[in-house]
Every structure is written in structure tokens, then in C-alpha cells.
Amino acid sequence: MRTVFKILFAGVFLILAGNVWAQPALDAVSVTTSSDGGQTYSLTLQALALMTGLTLLPAGLLMLTSFTRIVIVLSILRTALGTHSTPTNHILIGLSLFLTIFVMAPVFDSVYSDSVKPYLDEKVTIQQAFEKARVPFQSFMLGQTREDDLALFTRIAGKENINSPEEVPFSLLVPAFMTSELKTAFQIGFILFIPFLIIDLVVASVLMAMGMMMLSPLIISLPFKIMLFVLIDGWSLIMGTLASSFYV
């Protein structure tokens, strides 16, 4: 009986597979040229491009937005407080992500209204949509990039014939923007570190004067640093300063 069932199952499987293989195959890649010279890609190719773009989304979040500066400043703040794992990495990344959305909201709105919506309404091609989406990000990144950093990468690439900021290619703008963001983040972090460092020095000096050299100064200074941070409403100051630093 088992042999009979196996034979019947194999027969049914072959019949179903034959019907599936008999169906006409979809074109994986199809490019149609319209009368005005534009090109329309097949749905399969568009889905492939969308999935590829989703895999690059984390890299875009790091390289094209304010996320890098925010997460570095918050990490330095946690180190300055001495609360090694509080807030946790998940909390810091969540705060950085939502503050990034708040800071980048005008850019995202501009990209949606100028690029995504016209493309969904089939008013522009995908190439035109990408070109329109590039403009708000380029404007934001140029506003946060130092001229000397941009000049450095321009000189390294040998493209010193750029006449206006609008002509700067992304291959130059992205590394210059990242370098400027790292500089700014560490500058803000240095300023944040000073008051907490002073508290550590004062506590260490008092303990040494009292002859309590075996007691770790971090244990004594931590409550004072937390109290100072709470009394000055530190989180509001940090969040407000980070958000406003992108629009100065």
C-alpha cells in the first residue's frame, strides 16, 4: 500500500508541476521606451530595486542624516556621567532615531512632495524621482559640511573645477559630510565632558586629602553627577541643543 501511495503522490506532483511549468513565464527584466524618450521598467525589476534599496537603508541613515552626530553625543554623555550601561544601547539608538526623524522632517517632507508623490502619480519617471529626491538631501548635507572638509576631498579626487555647491557629486559630499559630523559631535562631547570631569577631580582631591585613597572616586562622584544633570534639566538641554545645532 505504501508503494501505491508513493506512486500516486509522484503522479499528482508531476501533473501539478507540468501545469505550473506550462504557464507563460514573466519577464524578469523588461524596459519599455515611451514616445517621449522615457523608460519604464517592469514590476519585477522595480521590486528588485526596492529590495536592494531597503538593504542600503541603514547605511543611508548613517551617511545622509543627522543620526551620526546625535548617537555619538549621547554615547559620550553616558561615558561622562559614568553610568556605563545606563541608558542602554537600545535606548540611545531609539532616542537618536526619533530625534533624527524630528530633525530630518523638513527634508523628508520635501522628498515626499517633490519626488515620491509625483512618481506614485506617474507624473515623473524613476530617474527623475531620484534626481528630485537628491536635491533636499544635498542641500541639508551642504549646510552641515565644513568648507575645508569639502575642499580636502575635492583636492584628493582631483575635481577642483567645481564652480558651485550644486555641482558637488555625492561621491565627494558624503565623506566630507561624515567628517564634519564627526568633528562636530566630538566638539559637543568635549564641552559636555568638562563639568563632569571637574566633579571627578574635586571628589578625587577630597578623598585624597582625607586619606581615603582606597575608595574609588567614581562611586562618590556618580550621585553628584546625576544630581547635577537632573537639576539643570540635562536631557531637555541636550535634546534641544542637538536639534538646534542643525539649523544654526
Side-chain angles (χ1 to χ4, degrees):
M1 291 297 295
R2 291 182 179 178
T3 305
V4 173
F5 279 119
K6 289 181 180 179
I7 295 175
L8 291 176
F9 177 79
V12 172
F13 175 78
L14 290 175
I15 293 173
L16 293 177
N19 291 333
V20 172
W21 292 335
Q23 298 295 326
L26 294 175
D27 293 334
V29 178
S30 176
V31 181
T32 305
T33 304
S34 59
S35 58
D36 58 354
Q39 292 181 336
T40 302
Y41 297 92
S42 63
L43 182 60
T44 306
L45 191 59
Q46 294 182 25
L48 178 62
L50 177 61
M51 297 303 295
T52 304
L54 290 178
T55 60
L56 298 176
L57 188 59
L61 179 66
L62 291 174
M63 296 186 298
L64 307 180
T65 68
S66 58
F67 182 84
T68 300
R69 181 192 304 186
I70 296 171
V71 74
I72 289 177
V73 170
L74 293 180
S75 299
I76 293 177
L77 172 64
R78 183 177 64 179
T79 304
L81 282 170
T83 56
H84 305 285
S85 59
T86 305
T88 63
N89 291 331
H90 299 86
I91 295 176
L92 288 185
I93 293 175
L95 286 173
S96 303
L97 180 60
F98 280 97
L99 191 57
T100 298
I101 295 174
F102 173 78
V103 172
M104 300 295 296
V107 178
F108 293 153
D109 291 341
S110 180
V111 170
Y112 177 78
S113 60
D114 297 340
S115 174
V116 177
K117 192 174 185 301
Y119 176 72
L120 295 177
D121 295 338
E122 299 183 353
K123 295 181 180 179
V124 296
T125 62
I126 189 170
Q127 295 92 339
Q128 294 172 335
F130 274 117
E131 184 63 26
K132 290 180 179 294
R134 182 182 64 86
V135 175
F137 280 101
Q138 185 176 23
S139 177
F140 171 80
M141 294 166 67
L142 283 172
Q144 307 300 322
T145 304
R146 291 178 172 84
E147 293 183 1
D148 54 346
D149 293 330
L150 189 58
L152 171 64
F153 287 97
T154 302
R155 184 174 64 255
I156 293 174
K159 297 181 179 181
E160 300 182 0
N161 57 345
I162 299 176
N163 299 321
S164 63
E166 290 75 15
E167 298 178 2
V168 178
F170 257 58
S171 59
L172 297 180
L173 181 57
V174 170
F177 171 73
M178 290 298 297
T179 304
S180 296
E181 286 295 282
L182 290 174
K183 287 182 180 179
T184 304
F186 276 90
Q187 287 176 353
I188 298 175
F190 172 76
I191 296 174
L192 288 175
F193 224 105
I194 292 178
F196 301 110
L197 180 61
I198 293 175
I199 294 177
D200 287 333
L201 291 175
V202 171
V203 171
S205 300
V206 171
L207 291 177
M208 186 173 294
M210 296 174 62
M212 303 173 64
M213 292 177 292
M214 299 301 294
L215 181 61
S216 175
L218 295 178
I219 299 177
I220 307 300
S221 63
L222 180 58
F224 290 99
K225 290 191 288 188
I226 294 177
M227 181 182 64
L228 173 65
F229 192 70
V230 172
L231 289 177
I232 65 174
D233 198 10
W235 286 113
S236 297
L237 289 175
I238 294 299
M239 296 300 180
T241 301
L242 282 174
S244 61
S245 66
F246 291 96
Y247 296 102
V248 175

